[in-house]
Amino acid sequence: MISLKHVSKTYGRSVKAVDDLTWDIEDGQIVGFIGPNGAGKTTTLKMITGILSPDQGEITINGISMKEDGVNAKRQFGFVSDSPDNFLRLKGIEYLNFMADIYQVSTEDRRRRIDSFSGRFGMESALDDRILSYSHGMRQKIMVMGALIHEPAVWILDEPLTGLDPKSAYELKEMMREHAKGGKSVLFSTHVLEVAEKLCDKVSVINKGKIVFLGTLDELREKYNSKDTLEDIFLELTEHA
Amino acid sequence: MREFLVLTKVLLKSGLGDILQKSENKKKTAGRGGRIALYALLTVCMMPAMGMIFSLAAGGYRMMAAIGQEGMIIELICYAGALATLVFGLALVMSVFYMSRDIYNLLPLPLSPWQIVGAKFTVTLAYEYLTEAVLLGPAFLGYGVASGAGILYWLFAVAALLTIPVLPLIYASVLSMLFMRIFRRVANRDFINVVITVLMLVFVISFSTFSGSMSGYTQESVMEMLTASDNSLLGVMSGFFPLFIFLEKAIVNADILQMLLYLLCLLAVAAVFLFLAQKLYFAGVLSISETSSKRRKISVTMREKLTRSNGVLKSCVQREWRVLFRTPTYFLNCCLITFSWPVFMVLPVVFSLIGSGKDQVSGEQVMTSLSGMTAAMNTVSAAALALIVTYGITVFITSMNFTSGTAISREGRSFFFMKLIPVPYRTQIQAKVICGLILSLIGTTFYAAILFVVFILLFGLPPLSLVFMILITFGINLLINMIQIWVDLVSPKLEWESEQMAVKQNMNTLLEALITVVLGAVLGGAAAMLYALLPINLYVLCVICCMVLAALNVGAYHLLAVYADKRMQELE
């Protein structure tokens, strides 16, 4: 479970990227995080993962405070950033093994998971190549594999489906469903409303640093005009907020 | 032309952004005030060196003017500036023209090759001006003040500062474009970068050979050349940059016509260069691929080998090591340069020995005189001398090795990963220091140990001196590495377009070198003074030195660990 209490973040002196955010992401759910560009999605995810420090407020992951015990809090989740261009000089297999070492995954477990992930994502023949030679989608897949190698309880994914081919996107969505079914939580940001509609148990809509809606899609439709498409509702929420 | 100007402006802004623009986030860098303070500190630190260049130029003028050869000073300034530009410019041009990330954004734009090359050339030139201002500015100033030069000299000196890097950069650009064109079928970025690296080394070594052979002149022949005519001694050097003859004559004689001739010739060369760029650039740049791939399933044995579990620290060191050795820019600037120092240091000796074979002393005679020297000194004094020389060389080489000093900057946009993983910041910093330390130990202690063993065998130095040499060089290596990473941690350069910018165009390295050289000199000087002034046994002094170094290292380690925890939290 991820918990944010009165979290704020300001860039420079005046740009308030996230404004007094209070939000609990419960276990067993897939939560979609949607909002227009620059609304504060990535900043929020970066604060949850410890990449950015909030100016105010507290963040806990499975009850562990990111501020007080960052190292243990970071063990609780796997994070896929919006940029997969990392560790380009390492081979795919070296990157996965490095991640497994970092999260102290046993040799047996890491081998099993590498085999399973590479099979699902069709990456078996790419593992011995450097990430530099991968396409954008392949880089995204290897980053997803690295983030999940320690079977984290909480998945935090920033635009995880960008660049993935249909089969891999399908596999990742399936994996997210399986994970949530197992009583664990998935938080992911997306711009694709159809994906949120099909995949999420709950959505959180952020605009100008504030959460303007939090609940199920049915509740969203109920609250606004149920005849409108999700796209219309989203536009109304973000443009007239 | 408009496109060229717009592109140049954009590239200059993004390329020199961190130097010219104000910082937006106080915590991310040292903030605007901190940045100004950093540059002010750097300027103050560089003052002695700039002062020295000023005095050398002024003194050189007075000396040469007495025999009517003052033009040689100008020729030397032009030549030194151009040569420095050429040596450093080759890697820079490769990086800016072919390796930077913006290429993929520029190629789809409706721009001609000459426009892209012209804009990138201007950006590279701007980088060179920073170096030229420090190196050549004081030299022209010294010459001008000493000669009581008139307004034309100063105008021409400014023109020289602005134009001296142009010709060598054109050489570097044409060479890299030709090279990329020739190797376009087999080219991948890493391969090309490594080959260029080797070419550069060959160039530097060839130049060392050339310099070595120059030292073979006798005093009489030098005097003969000096009295022959203006610039006769250095005429052979300016052959590399023939246009400089006009520039030198213009400056020395305040001759407007010669200056116009020089500028016209330079314009003509630039036009030819842009014409060549139009023909050559796309052929090379369009064929580069970042790296090759096999796309075959990993074998069971390899899989077993590559998926063994390791400790966190070992894994971090391994990752750092792989990136260092597989990234050509890092390999050149952090690894190869460290291993090359001994070669550079030994080469002049070898060349002078070869050169001297004709009419001076032979190798055997050198050995005899060395052993005579140690015999005259007694073995303890010889050991003391050997220790202080080894120490000095170690401080210099380690200060010039920026593996630790750019360790945070090299992370670039992947820096977020350091904050994301569940590994204490101090462990991550430790891994980086270990890599830097291993490289600097190989580059210094390893060679020094070989030299010591030779000296022990040949001249009977006490073997105990070898033990102290290893302990002392280890101690100073560790201390310097920790200081370097500390400085980089204060204000790392995380925004860069090419790896070259993280290492070569990182002002932190300059500051680190200044701090560590000064610290090394203070520590070494203090030890030497103690030995000279007090009736103290050499080995007792060595024990004290080792203890002082150990205490400094323990203190530095703890302070660095605390600072790393705090600073990493702040950096965003």
Side-chain angles (χ1 to χ4, degrees), chain B residues 89-230:
Chain B
L90 201 56
L92 192 60
V93 160
M94 277 299 292
S95 169
V96 175
F97 282 26
Y98 292 99
M99 312 293 161
S100 64
R101 289 178 191 159
D102 59 13
I103 289 168
Y104 295 115
N105 298 328
L106 294 179
L107 288 179
L109 297 176
L111 295 167
S112 303
W114 76 266
Q115 288 169 331
I116 299 179
V117 169
K120 283 182 167 282
F121 182 87
T122 313
V123 173
T124 319
L125 193 62
Y127 285 131
E128 292 298 333
Y129 285 148
L130 296 176
T131 322
E132 299 279 312
V134 176
L135 283 179
L136 302 190
F140 277 115
L141 200 66
Y143 183 96
V145 169
S147 63
I151 184 80
L152 265 184
Y153 168 84
W154 296 110
L155 283 176
F156 288 174
V158 172
L161 274 175
L162 293 175
T163 55
I164 283 173
V166 175
L167 195 60
L169 267 188
I170 288 179
Y171 286 1
S173 307
V174 172
L175 188 66
S176 37
M177 285 193 295
L178 275 173
F179 202 80
M180 292 299 285
R181 171 74 177 76
I182 293 165
F183 285 90
R184 65 182 169 155
R185 302 234 179 267
V186 288
N188 70 45
R189 287 187 180 206
D190 289 357
F191 168 78
I192 285 295
N193 239 338
V194 170
V195 173
I196 285 282
T197 302
V198 175
L199 265 186
M200 269 188 64
L201 280 175
V202 169
F203 177 80
V204 172
I205 290 171
S206 309
F207 181 69
S208 306
T209 316
F210 177 71
S211 308
S213 69
M214 284 293 285
S215 67
Y217 286 112
T218 61
Q219 207 173 353
E220 289 76 29
S221 65
V222 169
M223 287 312 293
E224 209 172 286
M225 291 180 83
L226 273 172
T227 49
S229 64
D230 260 5

